Amino acid sequence: MISKEQLRSIVAGALSLEERLQAPREFRVPQTHVSLTSWQDAAGEGFKSRLALFRDDSALDNPENLLFDLSTDWPMPIPEWGSRIENLLNVLIDRTNARDLAFPDRDIEDQEPFEPLILEVAIAGIDDASEKLNWLSPQAKNNALYALLKRLARLSERALGVSFKNFVAQHSKRTDKYTAFIDFMLDGGLVQFFCAFPVLARGTVETIRQWHSLLIEIGERLCADQHALAAHFDTNITIPVSQLKLDLSDPHHDGRTVVQVLFDSGLSLHYKP
């Protein structure tokens, strides 16, 4: 299991600027080795505007006050997304959970980067959501899972690439480096990975939450409008639906995208949030 110290390290590293500034000053440990210039240049004009929301005049007068670590003595409350990180890692470490969603095997050249690992993460993250996806057929569930897989792959592929490169350098004599890396990450290495990339840990559970929320929203509205849709299109609207096509637009409004819903009757509808 992930230790409380490891979880605190991940959460502390993934806090936003606004969240970090909520820490009492006595628990802020100054960083003297980090330059703020590039940070301010990258943030542009919005940098001081965001800080002004906190009325933190001392931070505005001396931006170096923003460069601090959080003391391990701070009784930092674990946010809800931190608890989801803890649960995700513990499920992956345990790896005894029953999985209802299966994904068809594909040739490795057709897979997303590090697909075997990311698929395990995706399934572990949605393991407790299966009963809420009953409006999806097995094929539609696989469609939705693949969309989540692609989202997580885009989010993590660079960081995983760096970690894989380091792993290869340390295991140069192995011939099964890729498989060994996947096994290493699933056998506890992912905890170390998220400690090194805490913002990615938060982004991972937030991506899973957004995916889940979108599907729940569509399912609830589809069930509520089922009879009205059948009457309007003069066709049979059966649930579960046969197929889904997600991410047909850029994500907006908490990760929502346009989704195409296909029914056994041949009817095709688009959900535009």
Side-chain angles (χ1 to χ4, degrees):
M1 295 180 62
I2 179 175
S3 69
K4 294 300 182 183
E5 291 74 18
Q6 288 171 322
L7 180 61
R8 282 178 56 87
S9 174
I10 293 172
V11 170
L15 293 175
S16 67
L17 174 61
E18 292 90 340
E19 291 165 339
R20 289 173 62 81
L21 287 174
Q22 294 176 16
R25 291 185 178 277
E26 60 267 27
F27 296 113
R28 302 180 189 180
V29 182
Q31 292 182 355
T32 59
H33 60 286
V34 181
S35 171
L36 192 62
T37 303
S38 59
W39 186 18
Q40 289 179 290
D41 290 343
E45 292 299 322
F47 184 77
K48 288 189 176 182
S49 299
R50 292 185 70 187
L51 293 182
L53 296 175
F54 297 91
R55 308 293 193 271
D56 195 338
D57 295 336
S58 62
L60 290 171
D61 294 338
N62 184 10
E64 291 184 1
N65 289 336
L66 296 171
L67 296 177
F68 58 85
D69 288 322
L70 296 173
S71 170
T72 56
D73 295 330
W74 179 36
M76 176 180 59
I78 300 299
E80 188 270 339
W81 54 263
S83 297
R84 282 188 276 120
I85 292 174
E86 180 180 26
N87 181 69
L88 173 66
L89 289 172
N90 284 338
V91 169
L92 282 167
I93 292 171
D94 184 49
R95 298 186 70 189
T96 59
N97 57 311
R99 299 185 172 108
D100 296 324
L101 296 177
F103 199 71
D105 292 334
R106 297 189 296 157
D107 293 336
I108 190 168
E109 58 267 21
D110 297 327
Q111 293 183 3
E112 295 294 324
F114 307 101
E115 181 169 311
L117 169 62
I118 298 173
L119 181 59
E120 289 275 4
V121 172
I123 293 175
I126 65 174
D127 188 65
D128 61 348
S130 298
E131 72 278 2
K132 299 178 182 179
L133 304 180
N134 291 332
W135 64 280
L136 298 173
S137 68
Q139 179 59 53
K141 287 181 180 180
N142 278 334
N143 296 151
L145 181 60
Y146 180 55
L148 176 59
L149 172 71
K150 291 175 66 176
R151 287 190 183 190
L152 293 175
R154 298 291 83 77
L155 182 69
S156 61
E157 58 188 351
R158 285 192 175 186
L160 283 171
V162 171
S163 295
F164 179 57
K165 184 177 180 180
N166 293 336
F167 182 87
V168 168
Q170 296 171 11
H171 302 82
S172 58
K173 295 183 179 180
R174 296 195 64 149
T175 58
D176 58 341
K177 298 180 182 66
Y178 182 75
T179 302
F181 175 72
I182 300 297
D183 291 340
F184 165 75
M185 295 294 277
L186 291 173
D187 289 338
L190 201 60
V191 175
Q192 303 172 32
F193 176 73
F194 278 161
C195 285
F197 298 96
V199 176
L200 177 57
R202 182 174 183 174
T204 296
V205 295
E206 284 297 285
T207 297
I208 294 172
R209 179 193 61 78
Q210 291 173 345
W211 174 92
H212 182 208
S213 296
L214 174 62
L215 291 181
I216 295 301
E217 178 179 299
I218 297 174
E220 289 176 347
R221 295 189 177 186
L222 177 60
C223 291
D225 297 338
Q226 180 179 4
H227 299 298
L229 289 170
H232 180 80
F233 291 103
D234 191 25
T235 188
N236 188 27
I237 300 291
T238 58
I239 295 176
V241 304
S242 61
Q243 292 192 60
L244 283 184
K245 293 183 180 179
L246 283 80
D247 295 342
L248 299 180
S249 69
D250 291 334
H252 60 281
H253 193 42
D254 198 30
R256 290 174 172 84
T257 65
V258 172
V259 178
Q260 183 181 14
V261 183
L262 294 95
F263 299 87
D264 287 334
S265 65
L267 179 68
S268 172
L269 298 177
H270 284 76
Y271 179 77
K272 188 176 185 300

